[in-house]
Amino acid sequence: MNEIGLRRRATVHDVARAAGVSLATVDRVLNGRPGVRAATVEKVEAAIAEIGFQRDLSASLLARARDLRVVFIIPDSSNEFMASLADAVTRRAGQALTDRIYIETQRLRALDAGALAKALDGLDARTTDCAVIVGGEEPSVLTAVDSATKRGIVVMTLVSDLPATQRHHFIGVDNVAAGRTAASLLGRFLPQGGKVAVIAGSLHLRDHSERLSGFRATMAAEFPALELIGPSEGHDERSETEAIVADVLARHPDLAGLYNLGAGNAGLVAALDAAPSASALRVIAHELTEPTRRGLRSGVIDVVLDQNPDGEIREAIAAARTLALGGHGALVSDPIEIGIFLRDNLR
Amino acid sequence: MNEIGLRRRATVHDVARAAGVSLATVDRVLNGRPGVRAATVEKVEAAIAEIGFQRDLSASLLARARDLRVVFIIPDSSNEFMASLADAVTRRAGQALTDRIYIETQRLRALDAGALAKALDGLDARTTDCAVIVGGEEPSVLTAVDSATKRGIVVMTLVSDLPATQRHHFIGVDNVAAGRTAASLLGRFLPQGGKVAVIAGSLHLRDHSERLSGFRATMAAEFPALELIGPSEGHDERSETEAIVADVLARHPDLAGLYNLGAGNAGLVAALDAAPSASALRVIAHELTEPTRRGLRSGVIDVVLDQNPDGEIREAIAAARTLALGGHGALVSDPIEIGIFLRDNLR
DNA sequence: CCGTAAATGAGGTACGTGCCTCATGACCTA
DNA sequence: TAGGTCATGAGGCACGTACCTCATTTACGG
């Protein structure tokens, strides 16, 4: 039972020795404090790389006697998906506290770019290590993200990316793949061909347009026998979506498939429930929420594609932990997978 | 920016004060050391519960100057799934080290219950905190699990549960739900009815028989137009599975669907590749491995149901962390979800 | 060559917990 | 009541890092 081969982890002391400097200097380099010549910084960094030093995150948080502070800024709309995201944050917040990670949630009016920008501008780098945001590509938001990053806050985008900014990381699913998957399933569900209606929330939303493009591409390439109807835009609203679905059903009594790539699923389910002969209709929707679960259970929805909000929040927290203190370099994180739910594998 | 409402986390000092005892006594209780009257133990435990004290795992590991040691014992067979499990362990091991979790992997001859029992018996509770095993329900294994648990090692089962033992936790998917899902998809893929062949590895394996029962139940309840053929047993072997598939295809030229709920997918893909008219055949298999990915890409496999080995390992490590020091009480952990993969959402 | 500022070293305390030693007090038994 | 055992308290050192103060060295301009 000897310990040969189990080399002790390198510590700051080892770095100091290897670099031929004092502990204080290593500390200054590690924590980006001033008063070190560029040449010395390089010496220390070389030593760190050479002996493979990795700062002990727990000891670090312990020593500063303060938690890592992560702020989630999430739209506060009637959108059930955003609510489930916020729920997931709340659930994780307790466990995260055990790891000295303090999580705060801010709900903001949906689609209010100004409010999001203002919230970002209000973050103090001394009390906030990381901000995780869900936002659209508005100029004011982009500016605020870059400004927060410059102030030293790690900004991560969730669900919908802002690739034009300096955000450190994006966490979300591949929506083009989600659209392809919906097409692939519907195509297999309808081997005899037929009409398929598509409903979106708003094609100005990046995720919706990505889903649509994936859906269309696969439909065109693999299932030419299916005829696409739409897309119509329901603006993620319950009543609007309900009206659209009812209209489509009335207009096309022979409709074979339906893909709702946006929200407003309560309306979708209501319209399907009211339809007389919807049982032969194959329906795919997005996000596992209360209305879609109900639809799956009752059979009016066949498949729900889900973003897995719990997994997204878990990864966001893990990434925050790594980024905020660990290395400012590459980040390995699990990709978020598209959850596919039928009535039979509902949790 | 004040800190009102952000109460400091409770520490051992708080527990001592609340219980009216000294730090030393709290320490003795927390670490199960002798020399404390039962009445005092209760007092301390009451105080812990009252102020909601949670031991700081990181500080604890730091203080003992040793890592949490977790051993994964995984079958070393030609089974590609076990290989991907082991790969996932290796991938996580590096990151885990940052959190003072030292992970060791042992590969054992598959289906060798004696070897697994011996490996478990060989674990020293002083150097091993947690063992994660994949094993069948053999008497020698059951005994060894209980013995290790008694010695103070946290034992967790992975993929296949041993509910008859004292194992602390099981991590794996709901295989009955997986079987139901396969049936539900095939049923929707084949609205005109037809013959569906089922191939298993061995029905003596708990996961296989669970999948079969879920599959059968949903088929009978929802898709009476489909005729089941089999199951035949391919014993998770490449060549045997290939022969069985070729035989079934020859015997039933009009076969509409195929469900391989076991391993041996290299054989499945080979047989399908060799078949002349397999393009109309809907095929569902298990576990995302090299051969099934190939099958998805080429189109001979329609859907792969996956256990998500990475997620399983992640949860295993998280659970080990919580169980080994945290609370010996209830453990909240994310359920492992069945991954559903088509060509279109392959990562 | 001096004055000054910047760079670096030396060493301390703290974080929350584990583990050790030693002292003190309570209680039991002979 | 003496001698023993057991329960408990008091205190200190350690883990790896952060952050502080104070001294010392080095570099540079005049």
Side-chain angles (χ1 to χ4, degrees), chain B residues 215-247:
Chain B
F215 187 78
R216 274 188 169 142
T218 293
M219 273 296 175
E222 295 186 41
F223 306 102
L226 290 176
E227 177 193 347
L228 254 63
I229 294 171
S232 346
E233 292 181 271
H235 299 101
D236 291 352
E237 292 226 0
R238 185 206 155 110
S239 52
E240 203 172 337
T241 305
E242 181 171 358
I244 289 178
V245 174
D247 179 64

Side-chain angles (χ1 to χ4, degrees), chain A residues 21-22 24-29 31-41 44:
Chain A
V21 300
S22 77
T25 299
V26 174
D27 182 70
R28 287 187 262 255
V29 172
N31 297 292
R33 274 186 278 275
V36 187
R37 260 183 311 164
T40 312
V41 172
V44 173

Side-chain angles (χ1 to χ4, degrees), chain A residues 9 56 58 67 92 97 99-100 102 180-181 184 188 302 314 321 334 337 340 344-345 347, chain B residues 6 9 56 58 67 92 97 99-100 180-181 184 188 302 314 321 334 337 340 344 347:
Chain A
R9 210 189 322 282
D56 184 322
S58 311
D67 289 7
R92 296 273 161 190
L97 218 48
D99 295 326
R100 309 187 102 74
Y102 178 79
R180 281 200 309 263
T181 304
S184 197
R188 284 173 172 74
D302 293 274
R314 173 177 22 79
R321 212 173 113 89
D334 297 352
E337 271 156 25
I340 302 181
D344 310 276
N345 65 333
R347 4 171 194 190
Chain B
L6 282 180
R9 209 190 325 280
D56 184 322
S58 308
D67 288 8
R92 295 272 163 192
L97 217 49
D99 296 325
R100 305 188 103 71
R180 281 200 307 265
T181 304
S184 196
R188 284 173 173 75
D302 292 274
R314 175 180 16 84
R321 215 174 111 89
D334 297 352
E337 271 156 23
I340 302 181
D344 311 278
R347 5 174 191 187

Side-chain angles (χ1 to χ4, degrees), chain B residues 177-229:
Chain B
R180 281 200 307 265
T181 304
S184 196
L185 284 170
L186 273 181
R188 284 173 173 75
F189 288 168
L190 305 169
Q192 322 94 308
K195 295 181 185 170
V196 175
V198 180
I199 301 169
S202 158
L203 295 178
H204 293 297
L205 294 172
R206 189 187 192 88
D207 44 353
H208 289 199
S209 63
E210 286 179 352
R211 284 172 193 166
L212 180 61
S213 80
F215 187 78
R216 274 188 169 142
T218 293
M219 273 296 175
E222 295 186 41
F223 306 102
L226 290 176
E227 177 193 347
L228 254 63
I229 294 171

